[in-house]
Amino acid sequence: MNEQSENRDAVKNVYILLTHTGSLLTNLIKQYTGAPYNHVSIAMDSRLDELYSFGRKQPHNPLAGGFIKEDVYKGTYRQFPHTKCVLLRLAMTQRQWDKVNRVIRYIQKKANEYRYNFIGLFGVMMNVPIAPKNSYFCSQFVTEALKRSGLPLWNRPSALITPDDFLQHASVQRVYEGRLYDYPLLRKEKLIDELHGMRGERMAW
């Protein structure tokens, strides 16, 4: 095996971030599911700078959804600074990591062609997979990105996977649980700047 081949088999990680913002909608979902976290995102780095999911595109409008590059310092998380989370680590080869990255970049490039799979949420409740073309909800998207990269974590359809399924999977390692803004690898200077800005906005009101 040559050096290039060995590098392709080197261990890499992606990170699965499960969150509960405490918004009215997520509290209602939590009451129904009984799960501690009801949103999931995939991060390509431990600092969460490259964080992706399907969710609300506007912090104040949960019905305007689609593919999003999430920013933990702005947007929805800024509106809910007490967001609780658990961060999971999933090991893979460099080749698989590259494939995950390509899948995400492809969807990001064509983001306007993708929609949030609202009807699929009802399918989960009925245990019937509903997967319209180019439509995903958060856990369906993360599952599908991993599946297309050679990491099928479950034998059932992606449209039946919930955020809580990630928490229970044997292949992931829990690396942090607590308040999102207490996560030690966040960029503290950005966090302080954004929180000061948020307080200023509240004072303006």
PDB file of all heavy atoms in Angstrom, residues 23-33:
ATOM      1  N   SER A  23     -37.650  27.012  21.632  1.00  0.00           N
ATOM      2  CA  SER A  23     -38.692  27.816  20.999  1.00  0.00           C
ATOM      3  C   SER A  23     -40.049  27.150  21.202  1.00  0.00           C
ATOM      4  O   SER A  23     -40.142  25.980  21.605  1.00  0.00           O
ATOM      5  CB  SER A  23     -38.415  27.958  19.497  1.00  0.00           C
ATOM      6  OG  SER A  23     -38.588  26.713  18.838  1.00  0.00           O
ATOM      7  N   LEU A  24     -41.110  27.881  20.914  1.00  0.00           N
ATOM      8  CA  LEU A  24     -42.462  27.342  21.068  1.00  0.00           C
ATOM      9  C   LEU A  24     -42.638  26.081  20.228  1.00  0.00           C
ATOM     10  O   LEU A  24     -43.161  25.067  20.701  1.00  0.00           O
ATOM     11  CB  LEU A  24     -43.495  28.393  20.654  1.00  0.00           C
ATOM     12  CG  LEU A  24     -44.964  27.948  20.674  1.00  0.00           C
ATOM     13  CD1 LEU A  24     -45.377  27.529  22.084  1.00  0.00           C
ATOM     14  CD2 LEU A  24     -45.870  29.059  20.160  1.00  0.00           C
ATOM     15  N   LEU A  25     -42.164  26.127  18.985  1.00  0.00           N
ATOM     16  CA  LEU A  25     -42.317  24.986  18.092  1.00  0.00           C
ATOM     17  C   LEU A  25     -41.539  23.773  18.600  1.00  0.00           C
ATOM     18  O   LEU A  25     -42.067  22.657  18.651  1.00  0.00           O
ATOM     19  CB  LEU A  25     -41.862  25.348  16.680  1.00  0.00           C
ATOM     20  CG  LEU A  25     -41.955  24.217  15.645  1.00  0.00           C
ATOM     21  CD1 LEU A  25     -43.390  23.747  15.490  1.00  0.00           C
ATOM     22  CD2 LEU A  25     -41.382  24.679  14.305  1.00  0.00           C
ATOM     23  N   THR A  26     -40.279  23.975  18.991  1.00  0.00           N
ATOM     24  CA  THR A  26     -39.479  22.835  19.448  1.00  0.00           C
ATOM     25  C   THR A  26     -39.995  22.277  20.768  1.00  0.00           C
ATOM     26  O   THR A  26     -39.900  21.074  21.014  1.00  0.00           O
ATOM     27  CB  THR A  26     -37.988  23.200  19.584  1.00  0.00           C
ATOM     28  OG1 THR A  26     -37.848  24.293  20.506  1.00  0.00           O
ATOM     29  CG2 THR A  26     -37.403  23.593  18.240  1.00  0.00           C
ATOM     30  N   ASN A  27     -40.580  23.130  21.606  1.00  0.00           N
ATOM     31  CA  ASN A  27     -41.169  22.635  22.852  1.00  0.00           C
ATOM     32  C   ASN A  27     -42.393  21.771  22.568  1.00  0.00           C
ATOM     33  O   ASN A  27     -42.612  20.749  23.233  1.00  0.00           O
ATOM     34  CB  ASN A  27     -41.554  23.799  23.769  1.00  0.00           C
ATOM     35  CG  ASN A  27     -40.347  24.383  24.492  1.00  0.00           C
ATOM     36  OD1 ASN A  27     -39.359  23.701  24.736  1.00  0.00           O
ATOM     37  ND2 ASN A  27     -40.423  25.662  24.834  1.00  0.00           N
ATOM     38  N   LEU A  28     -43.176  22.164  21.566  1.00  0.00           N
ATOM     39  CA  LEU A  28     -44.338  21.360  21.176  1.00  0.00           C
ATOM     40  C   LEU A  28     -43.895  20.010  20.608  1.00  0.00           C
ATOM     41  O   LEU A  28     -44.469  18.968  20.924  1.00  0.00           O
ATOM     42  CB  LEU A  28     -45.184  22.118  20.148  1.00  0.00           C
ATOM     43  CG  LEU A  28     -45.952  23.331  20.667  1.00  0.00           C
ATOM     44  CD1 LEU A  28     -46.619  24.079  19.512  1.00  0.00           C
ATOM     45  CD2 LEU A  28     -47.004  22.907  21.684  1.00  0.00           C
ATOM     46  N   ILE A  29     -42.837  20.049  19.780  1.00  0.00           N
ATOM     47  CA  ILE A  29     -42.313  18.801  19.218  1.00  0.00           C
ATOM     48  C   ILE A  29     -41.779  17.903  20.325  1.00  0.00           C
ATOM     49  O   ILE A  29     -42.008  16.686  20.325  1.00  0.00           O
ATOM     50  CB  ILE A  29     -41.215  19.107  18.183  1.00  0.00           C
ATOM     51  CG1 ILE A  29     -41.804  19.837  16.981  1.00  0.00           C
ATOM     52  CG2 ILE A  29     -40.524  17.825  17.727  1.00  0.00           C
ATOM     53  CD1 ILE A  29     -40.774  20.323  15.983  1.00  0.00           C
ATOM     54  N   LYS A  30     -41.091  18.501  21.275  1.00  0.00           N
ATOM     55  CA  LYS A  30     -40.521  17.732  22.379  1.00  0.00           C
ATOM     56  C   LYS A  30     -41.613  17.064  23.192  1.00  0.00           C
ATOM     57  O   LYS A  30     -41.463  15.912  23.640  1.00  0.00           O
ATOM     58  CB  LYS A  30     -39.676  18.653  23.262  1.00  0.00           C
ATOM     59  CG  LYS A  30     -38.931  17.928  24.375  1.00  0.00           C
ATOM     60  CD  LYS A  30     -38.019  18.878  25.130  1.00  0.00           C
ATOM     61  CE  LYS A  30     -37.238  18.156  26.219  1.00  0.00           C
ATOM     62  NZ  LYS A  30     -36.312  19.066  26.932  1.00  0.00           N
ATOM     63  N   GLN A  31     -42.734  17.760  23.396  1.00  0.00           N
ATOM     64  CA  GLN A  31     -43.843  17.176  24.132  1.00  0.00           C
ATOM     65  C   GLN A  31     -44.405  15.966  23.395  1.00  0.00           C
ATOM     66  O   GLN A  31     -44.811  14.979  24.020  1.00  0.00           O
ATOM     67  CB  GLN A  31     -44.943  18.219  24.347  1.00  0.00           C
ATOM     68  CG  GLN A  31     -44.585  19.290  25.370  1.00  0.00           C
ATOM     69  CD  GLN A  31     -45.708  20.292  25.581  1.00  0.00           C
ATOM     70  OE1 GLN A  31     -46.815  20.119  25.067  1.00  0.00           O
ATOM     71  NE2 GLN A  31     -45.430  21.344  26.334  1.00  0.00           N
ATOM     72  N   TYR A  32     -44.396  16.029  22.073  1.00  0.00           N
ATOM     73  CA  TYR A  32     -44.930  14.920  21.276  1.00  0.00           C
ATOM     74  C   TYR A  32     -43.958  13.746  21.232  1.00  0.00           C
ATOM     75  O   TYR A  32     -44.350  12.595  21.435  1.00  0.00           O
ATOM     76  CB  TYR A  32     -45.238  15.388  19.847  1.00  0.00           C
ATOM     77  CG  TYR A  32     -45.701  14.263  18.947  1.00  0.00           C
ATOM     78  CD1 TYR A  32     -47.023  13.823  18.982  1.00  0.00           C
ATOM     79  CD2 TYR A  32     -44.808  13.624  18.088  1.00  0.00           C
ATOM     80  CE1 TYR A  32     -47.445  12.775  18.183  1.00  0.00           C
ATOM     81  CE2 TYR A  32     -45.227  12.569  17.276  1.00  0.00           C
ATOM     82  CZ  TYR A  32     -46.545  12.159  17.330  1.00  0.00           C
ATOM     83  OH  TYR A  32     -46.959  11.115  16.530  1.00  0.00           O
ATOM     84  N   THR A  33     -42.677  14.026  20.963  1.00  0.00           N
ATOM     85  CA  THR A  33     -41.706  12.952  20.763  1.00  0.00           C
ATOM     86  C   THR A  33     -41.131  12.404  22.061  1.00  0.00           C
ATOM     87  O   THR A  33     -40.729  11.241  22.135  1.00  0.00           O
ATOM     88  CB  THR A  33     -40.532  13.435  19.895  1.00  0.00           C
ATOM     89  OG1 THR A  33     -39.813  14.471  20.590  1.00  0.00           O
ATOM     90  CG2 THR A  33     -41.029  13.964  18.563  1.00  0.00           C
TER      91      THR A  33
END
